[in-house]
Amino acid sequence: MDPSSALQELATRASRYSINLNGEISLVQSNAPLRGSTAIVHKGTLTRGGTEVAVKIFHGTPPGDIDPLKRILREVHLWSKLRHDNVVRLIGISTEFGSTISIVSDWMALGDSHSYVQNVENDPRPLLMDIASGLYYLHSHSLGPIFHGDLKGYQAGPALIPPRASLPVMPFSATVMPNLSRVRDNLPLRSTSLMFHDFLAACTVLKGHTDKVLSVAFSPDGKRIVSGSADSSICLWDVQTRARVGSPLRGHAGWARSVAFSPDGEWVASGSYDKTVRLWDVRRGAQAGSPLRGHSSKVLSVAFSPDGNTVASGSTDKTIRLWDVHAEAQLGLPLEGHTDAVQSVVISHDGSRIVSGSHDKTLRLWDLDAGVQIGSALEGHGGMVFTVAFSPDSRLVASGSDDNTLHLWDTRTGTEVGRPLIGHGGAVNSVAFSPDGMWVASGSVDTNVFLWDGRTGARVGTPLRGNAGWVRSVAFSPHAREIAAGTENGSICLWNAKVH
């Protein structure tokens, strides 16, 4: 088949998914084209409506060689399925310029990112945030990870500035641009060039406890924080004013080891070294009902179900117990299977499962309604599992251990995702997913809070430090605007988290 016939056939194929723009583009001759290593970008207009477009004409294809054109067409077909604010919008293709396929996309009126950031009057930070958003969308796409060009920032490349001054990312796979880097799930990624944490303000310190803060949680509306401490008290805090609300809640006769808000924000559950679980009325600032007794040893963790009717608790007695919030009574028999203390329990966001982490170095999944273990124990940590967390879609679990690592697990298959997340220099005491599932925060004995990409496992930016000793607990606010950490010196560190 001669090249012209082949191009015509490709144009016909392109029309099947409505992106063939032959006969509808006029190049603007007054604008000098922008030249890149693989293509030349012309400014053009659509004959219908006069919309300004960028026409990227690939060069370097040997005459008569149709295979590169077919590969480009396949990539364009993929691109046509992408919908995201930070991915350049594909308008269509044309086969009328340069005996090759030309890609037509929005013209970036403010130019390229390289020029944009050279202007000292422009704040480059929003660009980095939008890069991250676009990259995450591409790397976690339902079609599979989508690769992309480098981010040099020139108009002929993928980093462009649209009128709203953010940075879209133009995707192409390694079949089109062989020099692109692949996202690999099987490597323990340790860092990324997008340093979000460089732009987080210094932490605000909330003081009120007289001993280490063991657990922190945000209310569902993000307006309150609850904290449990080794001073046996529970405190409520106003996020906006950074002040304690009312007097400490007292009643426990031992460390208030774990606290959790109910989904409606009306109640707080707490678990203590005094072997009890207690419920607290947030509005009244007082204990509600009698202590829930049943564990034979310290209660290390509590969690509410999404409907607010059930509380799960884990204990050093090696069991998990379920409690009816309204009847103030235990539900069924204890969940048994762990061979050592149950340090952490969480109920999935769909309310169907519990995940537990134990000093026996395993995680276990449980059917909440049936009260039975699902599958075999999840093994992989080399030390005690101190913390577990479900992703918002309940498909992933993050875990942290005194082996200094985090692991990610697929809840559907019960298998580990990728390799351990390495970086902490001490035991990982707490992990938390951001509300959108994009990030995992981890707090450690090494006094740092790290942020990780929840899908690639890459550590993002520099550590968050509050200079307050060991980090005992971390939590994201519901809108991911703040990250809170409970620390060894009795304070809570609160950062403004502009990560998305």
Side-chain angles (χ1 to χ4, degrees):
M1 182 182 295
D2 65 89
S4 60
S5 299
L7 279 175
Q8 181 60 44
E9 179 183 340
L10 292 178
T12 301
R13 293 184 188 178
S15 65
R16 296 173 186 171
Y17 41 95
S18 301
I19 58 173
N20 185 354
L21 294 175
N22 283 350
E24 299 184 33
I25 303 169
S26 175
L27 299 184
V28 178
Q29 300 301 327
S30 59
N31 273 64
L34 301 165
R35 299 181 182 274
S37 60
T38 61
I40 300 173
V41 177
H42 291 264
K43 183 177 182 179
T45 59
L46 297 182
T47 55
R48 289 184 290 183
T51 300
E52 293 183 335
V53 295
V55 182
K56 187 171 186 176
I57 304 173
F58 286 93
H59 57 71
T61 301
D65 189 352
I66 302 303
D67 287 340
L69 300 180
K70 290 181 178 179
R71 289 197 297 270
I72 292 172
L73 182 63
R74 286 196 295 270
E75 300 306 322
V76 170
H77 189 193
L78 172 63
W79 190 3
S80 71
K81 298 178 181 296
L82 303 180
R83 299 289 186 275
H84 193 273
D85 287 343
N86 301 115
V87 174
V88 173
R89 181 174 68 102
L90 175 68
I91 297 176
I93 71 164
S94 173
T95 56
E96 293 185 317
F97 308 107
S99 299
T100 185
I101 291 178
S102 303
I103 296 175
V104 184
S105 60
D106 286 320
W107 179 257
M108 301 294 113
L110 296 182
D112 63 81
S113 61
H114 180 270
S115 300
Y116 183 83
V117 299
Q118 300 307 308
N119 187 339
V120 297
E121 296 182 0
N122 294 330
D123 183 354
R125 292 176 291 182
L127 298 182
L128 297 180
M129 302 306 173
D130 288 333
I131 290 173
S133 179
L135 292 181
Y136 176 77
Y137 171 77
L138 295 175
H139 292 177
S140 60
H141 201 277
S142 60
L143 297 175
I146 297 171
F147 315 130
H148 49 85
D150 59 23
L151 299 178
K152 292 178 180 177
Y154 296 98
Q155 182 77 275
L160 311 173
I161 311 296
R164 65 184 186 85
S166 61
L167 186 58
V169 178
M170 184 179 294
F172 276 98
S173 81
T175 59
V176 175
M177 298 182 181
N179 62 327
L180 303 185
S181 59
R182 179 182 296 270
V183 178
R184 288 176 283 184
D185 292 333
N186 61 340
L187 294 180
L189 301 179
R190 298 168 186 256
S191 64
T192 176
S193 60
L194 304 177
M195 301 303 185
F196 303 111
H197 284 180
D198 293 343
F199 312 125
L200 292 171
C203 77
T204 300
V205 178
L206 311 184
K207 294 184 177 181
H209 287 292
T210 59
D211 204 339
K212 57 185 71 76
V213 176
L214 305 168
S215 181
V216 293
F218 281 90
S219 62
D221 62 8
K223 296 180 179 180
R224 295 283 189 270
I225 294 173
V226 63
S227 57
S229 170
D231 64 12
S232 304
S233 75
I234 296 162
C235 289
L236 292 167
W237 308 84
D238 186 297
V239 172
Q240 183 174 2
T241 65
R242 304 317 206 224
R244 192 175 69 194
V245 179
S247 300
L249 307 181
R250 300 189 184 278
H252 282 301
W255 288 13
R257 186 62 184 80
S258 179
V259 291
F261 265 104
S262 64
D264 60 8
E266 297 291 325
W267 308 91
V268 164
S270 61
S272 169
Y273 276 17
D274 66 9
K275 308 178 187 179
T276 70
V277 174
R278 297 176 190 242
L279 298 172
W280 307 84
D281 187 316
V282 172
R283 291 186 180 181
R284 293 194 300 114
Q287 186 174 319
S290 302
L292 305 180
R293 303 182 185 276
H295 283 294
S296 60
S297 190
K298 301 172 183 176
V299 178
L300 302 180
S301 182
V302 292
F304 266 100
S305 62
D307 61 11
N309 294 326
T310 304
V311 168
S313 58
S315 167
T316 55
D317 66 11
K318 308 176 189 178
T319 71
I320 300 163
R321 294 174 190 258
L322 302 176
W323 308 90
D324 186 313
V325 171
H326 306 292
E328 298 181 11
Q330 186 173 319
L331 290 169
L333 298 173
L335 308 185
E336 298 179 335
H338 282 296
T339 59
D340 207 334
V342 180
Q343 176 88 24
S344 182
V345 293
V346 181
I347 299 177
S348 63
H349 297 269
D350 61 10
S352 65
R353 288 165 293 175
I354 298 170
V355 65
S356 55
S358 169
H359 292 186
D360 65 12
K361 304 180 184 180
T362 73
L363 293 78
R364 295 172 192 256
L365 290 166
W366 311 81
D367 185 297
L368 180 61
D369 291 331
V372 297
Q373 185 174 321
I374 302 171
S376 302
L378 309 185
E379 299 179 345
H381 279 293
M384 294 183 286
V385 179
F386 286 160
T387 176
V388 292
F390 271 109
S391 63
D393 62 7
S394 302
R395 294 183 177 182
L396 289 177
V397 164
S399 59
S401 166
D402 72 350
D403 64 9
N404 303 354
T405 71
L406 288 79
H407 289 226
L408 297 174
W409 309 85
D410 187 320
T411 60
R412 294 162 294 182
T413 62
T415 57
E416 189 172 349
V417 178
R419 293 188 179 180
L421 310 188
I422 299 170
H424 279 297
V428 180
N429 289 327
S430 183
V431 294
F433 274 95
S434 62
D436 58 8
M438 289 179 64
W439 316 105
V440 177
S442 59
S444 170
V445 168
D446 67 10
T447 75
N448 294 317
V449 173
F450 286 163
L451 194 65
W452 310 80
D453 187 307
R455 295 302 178 94
T456 68
R459 201 181 90 197
V460 180
T462 55
L464 296 178
R465 299 179 67 93
N467 298 318
W470 292 7
V471 178
R472 291 281 190 164
S473 179
V474 292
F476 270 100
S477 67
H479 305 294
R481 293 172 183 165
E482 290 90 16
I483 297 174
T487 66
E488 189 74 8
N489 79 348
S491 64
I492 298 168
C493 293
L494 192 60
W495 292 272
N496 290 321
K498 299 178 180 179
V499 297
H500 180 58

